[in-house]
Structures are given as C-alpha cells and as structure tokens.
Amino acid sequence: MSSPEPSLSISADALAAAAERRTRQLPAQPSATQLAAEHERRQAFRRLIDPGIVRPNSKEQAAASLKTLLTIAENLLREPGNPKFQQFKPTNTTIKKNLVDPKGTLEYAIELGFRPEVKNFQPYYTFNPRRIGDLETGTAILKEFVDLENERAERASRSKVDQKAVAAAVAQQVSQIFKDVAVDG
C-alpha cells in the first residue's frame, strides 16, 4: 500500500516573490515587430552581397572585396575608439581596387555606416558611431557569407582531389587487368 503524499503549503506571498525573481532574471525578449525589422535588415545586407557584389564582379574580385569589407568592419568592431579604423581613403590602392572600383562594394560600406567626407582637401569615408548596430549586423552577414564561400571552395577542392584519386585508382586497375591478360595470353 502506498503512503499518502505529504502536503506542502506555500504561501501566496512566497509564490509571488519567486515569480518576481524569475521574471527579473529573464532577459528582455524582442517583440515580433523588432524581430521582423531585424530580419529585414539582415536580408537587405544579404541582397547587397548577392546580387549586389557577387553577380556583377568576377568571383575573385568579389571574394577580395568581401574580405576587405570584412577586415575593415572587424577592425572597427574590435577597436571602435581607434581613429585609424574609423575611416578609410578611397584613393588608397587596396581600397580603390577592392572597394571603389568593383560594383556594389562601396554601397555596402555606406550601409555599414561609412559616409563620404572631405578633410584637408582629401576624400575619406568616415564611420558614424550611431550606426554601430548596422555595423554589427553587416559584419555578421559578411562573415557568414565569407565563411560559406570558403567552405564551398574547400569542398570543391576536396572533390577534385577525390575525383583525381578515383581516376588514378581506375587507371591502375585497368593497367593491372591489361598486365594480367598479357601474362595469361
């Protein structure tokens, strides 16, 4: 026979206090509207990459441009107070080759929060610190895309190596069959 469960009595005040502690510990959840806005912002950055940068430029140029954008963005996120990372000159050789000349890359930099300015008769693109949220989102999308492309390239090279190994094994087997036929025949 089973013994009856002991009854626990918890006061309503203790329950209310426990619920209040639990709600204070939970982080604030974004609303559906905020989530939809964030999703749309991420999609806009993705569209700036493909078709904006990837389609009109060669594969090599697009990869170099995206890596340059990612480097600029990561440096700025790592050291936001460093004035060296808060601006870039469009006349710099690397910047001109990878950001100014290719289609779509300068537009991405502008969406990250960079704005054109002239200082001492020199053109610059300077970061607006109020756009740090855009910088974080745009950098995450860039990193996601660059990592995905690196993974695809690695997979393709592994596939080529595997295909060559299979072809070499087949050639070896065919060669061995011919040798066996020549010895038997």
Side-chain angles (χ1 to χ4, degrees), residues 16 21 30 46 73 87 93 102 107 167 170:
R21 279 193 307 276
R46 285 186 184 102
Q87 64 185 11
T93 308
E107 289 81 359
V170 168

Side-chain angles (χ1 to χ4, degrees), residues 7-8 56 72 87-88 116 119 150 172:
S7 65
L8 298 174
I72 289 170
Q87 64 185 11
F88 63 85
K119 296 179 185 174
N150 288 342
Q172 178 67 29

Side-chain angles (χ1 to χ4, degrees), residues 148-169:
L148 187 62
E149 285 302 310
N150 288 342
E151 188 179 307
R152 281 182 189 153
E154 185 179 307
R155 210 177 312 124
S157 72
R158 264 190 273 134
S159 176
K160 286 180 183 177
V161 167
D162 292 346
Q163 287 174 352
K164 286 180 182 178
V166 167

Side-chain angles (χ1 to χ4, degrees), residues 85-133:
F85 299 136
Q86 293 176 354
Q87 64 185 11
F88 63 85
K89 285 176 81 170
T91 55
N92 175 298
T93 308
T94 304
I95 298 296
K96 183 165 177 41
K97 186 176 96 177
N98 291 334
L99 292 186
V100 177
D101 293 343
K103 290 185 167 108
T105 52
L106 210 47
E107 289 81 359
Y108 199 94
I110 289 170
E111 285 301 311
L112 287 174
F114 287 92
R115 292 289 175 245
E117 289 184 0
V118 176
K119 296 179 185 174
N120 298 327
F121 303 105
Q122 290 290 320
Y124 286 94
Y125 278 83
T126 306
F127 181 70
N128 179 353
R130 285 180 266 156
R131 303 274 311 270
I132 194 76

